[in-house]
Amino acid sequence: MRLMFRTRVEGVENIPGDGPVILAGNHLTFIDSVIMPLTCDRQVFFIGKDEYVTGRGLKGRLMAWFFTGVGMVPVDRDGGRGGVAALMTGRRILEEGHVFGIYPEGTRSPDGRLYRGRTGIARLTLMTGAPVVPFAVIGTDKLQPGGAGLPRPGRVTVRFGEAMEFSRYEGMDRDRYVLRAVTDSVMTEVMRLSGQEYVDMYASKAKAA
């Protein structure tokens, strides 16, 4: 994978060498979750659809092996409590001292722009005290347009910003104004790192329009 994508990495030293860390970034296409973890010395865990690891036959076993190998933690996100399950899984990973990757937009960008972040990222950092390292993946949408099909080889850049901590808001993880302020500050850094145009609406709403 490293040979295929020839990834240029900037700022990886901003990721703490131990302890819980949240990596929060943009999401352009499916392979973001494969490429970004390759740039880190520590294993990065992501939430993924449980259907990726429940397939049958040889293909199903190979998919399960691959996705668990790259740090995907399967969660049923389609049920009524899917969001809660994802949040609690992220909390458990962080409380175990690991690195948890999250896309605050909640889904892939439909057009390459950066969309409004959902506040789960804020709840996680306030509940666990884990610092947030913003990141941007640049160029994956050119290698895998639309997020489907096999990606083609090419150059990708992964850029990490300085760690952000929000201890001043300790105990305020149920205050919706604080959650929005924390989320927006993280998204501002992601926008700066990625150079994307920002859209103040949820990506899921844009897709549904």
Side-chain angles (χ1 to χ4, degrees), residues 119 122 172-183:
T119 58
M172 303 176 71
D173 59 279
R174 293 188 180 276
D175 187 315
R176 63 189 182 96
Y177 295 106
V178 169
L179 295 177
R180 175 47 54 194
V182 170
T183 302

Side-chain angles (χ1 to χ4, degrees), residues 118-141:
R118 296 188 176 275
T119 58
I121 173 68
R123 291 193 65 190
L124 277 176
T125 186
L126 298 185
M127 286 190 299
T128 64
V132 178
V133 174
F135 73 86
V137 180
I138 303 167
T140 52
D141 54 333

